[in-house]
Amino acid sequence: MAELPKKGIDISEFNGDVNLAALKGQIDFVIIRCGYGGNYSNQDDPQFENNVRKCEAAGIPWGTYLYSYAKDTSMAQSEAAHTLRLLQGKRPQYGVWYDVEDKTLPTGEGLIDNVVTYCQAVQKAGYYCGVYSFLSWMQTRLNSPRLDPYDKWVAQWSSQLDYKKPFGIWQFTDQLVLGGRKFDGNWAYKDYPALTAGKEEDSMTEAEVIKLARAEAQKVYRENEEKYKTIASLPSWARAAVEQVYQELGLSGAGGSGAQTQIDASDTYVRALAVISKLLDKLNETDALKQTEA
């Protein structure tokens, strides 16, 4: 099990060109801003791709966040699409975070609707998703039971965190000095690489699961249908019974008559014919008995 907590930083274009390789050993993770607002390329963080490459080259696990300006759920959907576009082909081990703090954001249930909309869209795509904000918002505007299913990354620049509900990351300072530069400092209290390790396998939608299940069922059906090509290829216990049914009921099969009749049968089909054979025998016995009594 990973030793916790883990120390990390969060960075964006405002940190400039960060030498992440030089920070290896001083930090355990980095959370990188991917952009802000709706799905427009001019709102991508220009350092995002560069920061991801440098983290991966240095072997530093990373996560990402998007700064929200959403006024309604349609804008929250666009912000989710923005995040997912930038994450194509990437697996953030420290999850995806929705940065909810801008003073222009709506109040009340409108804000909660936005957060749920974003998080659901990101989770549906197979990513671990949580919410970032500062303590006062977490205690008031974001203190809704509808947000309880989502992890929390709480900012309180202090020697202790006063948030009483469950959380995963604490942003404890904006003055963490590393290599002579200042960063936002964070403590992670969950083993995020372990939490996110299985998300790729879980990323299929319900429709995709149903489609795959049907395809597999059809594959098995086709394989079973081709198991016994002719009556002669049937198991010995079924051969006579199946041939009897084909003869008495006049069932047709390509390839000729008798043992060479092609039936393309599954196990279920063969067993059903064996049962029918027994029924035919019973019917024949009944007819013979009636003729004797007459």
Side-chain angles (χ1 to χ4, degrees):
M1 179 173 291
E3 185 178 345
L4 299 173
K6 297 289 187 182
K7 180 185 283 187
I9 59 175
D10 58 270
I11 59 177
S12 72
E13 63 176 305
F14 301 112
N15 296 99
D17 188 7
V18 181
N19 185 355
L20 291 169
L23 298 182
K24 187 173 183 179
Q26 301 180 67
I27 57 172
D28 300 301
F29 67 93
V30 180
I31 302 182
I32 304 166
R33 190 181 77 156
C34 63
Y36 59 91
N39 191 16
Y40 306 100
S41 59
N42 64 349
Q43 296 184 165
D44 298 350
D45 189 305
Q47 286 290 335
F48 174 66
E49 296 288 348
N50 191 32
N51 284 330
V52 170
R53 281 194 298 270
K54 288 189 289 186
C55 276
E56 294 183 344
I60 302 174
W62 61 277
T64 192
Y65 74 93
L66 181 127
Y67 190 95
S68 176
Y69 286 108
K71 302 295 190 297
D72 52 36
T73 55
S74 64
M75 292 181 68
Q77 284 281 8
S78 182
E79 292 183 338
H82 188 180
T83 306
L84 297 175
R85 171 172 58 81
L86 293 170
L87 286 178
Q88 288 181 9
K90 301 178 178 67
R91 303 304 304 180
Q93 292 175 284
Y94 270 74
V96 179
W97 301 87
Y98 198 32
D99 186 343
V100 181
E101 60 176 293
D102 197 82
K103 62 182 180 180
T104 65
L105 295 179
T107 58
E109 288 302 303
L111 180 61
I112 305 304
D113 289 343
N114 287 352
V115 176
V116 171
T117 296
Y118 178 92
C119 290
Q120 285 183 343
V122 171
Q123 286 185 335
K124 187 177 180 180
Y127 296 99
Y128 187 94
C129 191
V131 186
Y132 167 91
S133 194
F134 42 90
L135 177 67
S136 62
W137 276 44
M138 287 292 193
Q139 292 175 327
T140 56
R141 297 175 69 172
L142 295 169
N143 187 29
S144 167
R146 294 174 60 197
L147 301 186
D148 288 348
Y150 307 112
D151 204 349
K152 306 298 189 302
W153 174 15
V154 186
Q156 183 183 7
W157 300 337
S158 175
S159 59
Q160 68 177 31
L161 178 61
D162 296 319
Y163 189 61
K164 303 305 181 184
K165 297 179 74 172
F167 67 96
I169 302 178
W170 169 27
Q171 187 186 80
F172 64 92
T173 185
D174 65 340
Q175 300 290 316
L176 179 64
V177 179
L178 300 170
R181 299 180 62 178
K182 292 181 181 179
F183 298 93
D184 291 342
N186 299 273
W187 291 113
Y189 294 88
K190 295 180 181 180
D191 185 357
Y192 284 100
L195 283 175
T196 60
K199 284 296 173 180
E200 187 167 9
E201 288 75 15
D202 296 336
S203 64
M204 295 178 69
T205 65
E206 181 180 355
E208 289 170 336
V209 171
I210 292 172
K211 182 178 179 180
L212 179 61
R214 285 176 176 167
E216 288 300 312
Q218 289 170 350
K219 179 182 176 183
V220 171
Y221 179 80
R222 287 193 299 270
E223 289 173 351
N224 281 334
E225 283 299 297
E226 296 174 357
K227 188 171 185 178
Y228 303 116
K229 303 302 293 183
T230 64
I231 289 177
S233 69
L234 293 172
S236 57
W237 62 267
R239 195 174 303 134
V242 171
E243 190 167 8
Q244 176 197 359
V245 173
Y246 264 69
Q247 290 175 353
E248 290 199 30
L249 299 185
L251 299 180
S252 61
S257 60
Q260 296 307 311
T261 298
Q262 293 182 2
I263 58 177
D264 296 333
S266 65
D267 287 325
T268 303
Y269 179 71
V270 170
R271 292 180 184 279
L273 292 177
V275 171
I276 292 171
S277 174
K278 292 182 181 297
L279 290 173
L280 290 174
D281 288 341
K282 290 290 185 182
L283 290 173
N284 290 337
E285 289 174 7
T286 302
D287 287 342
L289 181 59
K290 286 181 179 179
Q291 291 176 4
T292 300
E293 290 175 348

